[in-house]
Amino acid sequence: MTKVLTLTKTFGIALFGILFVLGSTTIWHFAQWRESPLALSDATTYEIAKGSGAYQIISELSERGIVTQALYFRVLIELTQTTNHLKAGEYKLLPGVSPAELLTKFARGDVIQHKVTIVDGITVSELLGQLNGDPRLERLPVAVNAANLAAYLSLSIPFVEGYFLPDTYQFERDASVATLLIRAHQAMTQTLADIWVQRDKSQLSHLGNREALLTLASIIEKETGRTEERGQ
């Protein structure tokens, strides 16, 4: 009986030792994997669709060969408690990025910032055509045009021409044209307000309101364009 107990105890110790070694090896391997570069030879993009869960993201990354240890990535998500914090959007993945860095990027929402430029002198109709034709943006309804744009965007302005500041704007993929136009309008409104405050220090003191200032700027812009056309 004593011999049996001794053998059982010895076996238990040996089994514990084996499990300890295996566990330690697995932990070491996981720690190495977490900080090692992913299987990316070239830069690529990956988009987390709205409503995607952690397991779906892991599955898609595995199918594309970006993540080769799906179980480890699942464990990493659980350990960092980011299961419900992975933000939708389009991401740029560069060679050398580690699983830990990738997960941090997803949790921060460090998505690609696209750019679009509203050029000087563009009409609202031309601007709508430009933005609605950009595949990175969510276009306006077909019925929206220059004539009803102000009402659609709920803008309290007498006219729309000239009320969108020419500038370069950053946006995330699938941002709406409406949101972009509102930003451009707010930027123009702020610019007009800043100029209006300084009007007494310039030759604009005779203008009655900001709309008159905008109209004057539009006339000058058109006349400048005509002069340039005649000079060509």
Side-chain angles (χ1 to χ4, degrees):
M1 184 70 178
T2 302
K3 184 179 293 186
V4 173
L5 290 174
T6 301
L7 288 173
T8 302
K9 183 177 181 180
T10 302
F11 176 78
I13 293 173
L15 180 60
F16 175 79
I18 292 172
L19 293 176
F20 177 79
V21 171
L22 290 175
S24 298
T25 301
T26 300
I27 292 172
W28 178 86
H29 190 267
F30 171 78
Q32 291 294 311
W33 167 85
R34 182 182 59 188
E35 304 300 335
S36 299
L38 292 169
L40 288 172
S41 57
D42 300 299
T44 187
T45 59
Y46 172 70
E47 184 172 2
I48 297 179
K50 293 180 180 178
S52 295
Y55 291 164
Q56 180 180 344
I57 294 170
I58 294 171
S59 176
E60 291 173 352
L61 291 172
S62 298
E63 289 176 3
R64 292 183 54 178
I66 297 173
V67 170
T68 56
Q69 296 283 355
L71 178 58
Y72 278 2
F73 204 77
R74 183 178 300 178
V75 171
L76 182 60
I77 290 175
E78 293 295 338
L79 289 176
T80 54
Q81 298 182 336
T82 52
T83 302
N84 299 318
H85 301 284
L86 306 181
K87 297 178 174 58
E90 182 186 25
Y91 295 85
K92 186 172 185 179
L93 311 185
L94 299 175
V97 66
S98 69
E101 291 169 336
L102 179 63
L103 189 57
T104 298
K105 181 186 285 283
F106 289 165
R108 282 199 314 243
D110 186 14
V111 298
I112 296 173
Q113 293 293 319
H114 297 279
K115 294 181 180 180
V116 65
T117 299
I118 298 177
V119 299
D120 287 327
I122 192 171
T123 66
V124 171
S125 293
E126 292 169 340
L127 178 58
L128 292 182
Q130 173 192 345
L131 298 180
N132 283 329
D134 193 320
R136 302 167 300 176
L137 290 166
E138 178 187 333
R139 61 178 297 140
L140 294 171
V142 177
V144 178
N145 53 43
N148 58 22
L149 180 62
Y152 178 78
L153 298 178
S154 299
L155 304 180
S156 300
I157 52 178
F159 50 86
V160 291
E161 295 295 344
Y163 255 107
F164 302 100
L165 185 69
D167 201 352
T168 297
Y169 298 87
Q170 292 188 331
F171 64 92
E172 300 174 11
R173 177 175 286 278
D174 296 328
S176 68
V177 170
T179 300
L180 194 61
L181 287 171
I182 290 174
R183 287 173 54 197
H185 170 70
Q186 291 173 339
M188 176 57 84
T189 301
Q190 184 59 54
T191 298
L192 286 174
D194 293 341
I195 295 174
W196 188 250
V197 170
Q198 302 297 325
R199 70 189 184 284
D200 291 331
K201 300 177 182 179
S202 69
Q203 298 178 354
L204 304 178
S205 58
H206 62 283
L207 296 177
N209 52 45
R210 299 177 190 181
E211 283 70 31
L213 173 60
L214 187 59
T215 300
L216 176 61
S218 179
I219 292 173
I220 293 174
E221 184 177 43
K222 289 179 180 179
E223 289 301 321
T224 301
R226 289 172 183 171
T227 301
E228 290 176 351
E229 290 177 0
R230 287 195 293 268
Q232 292 178 350

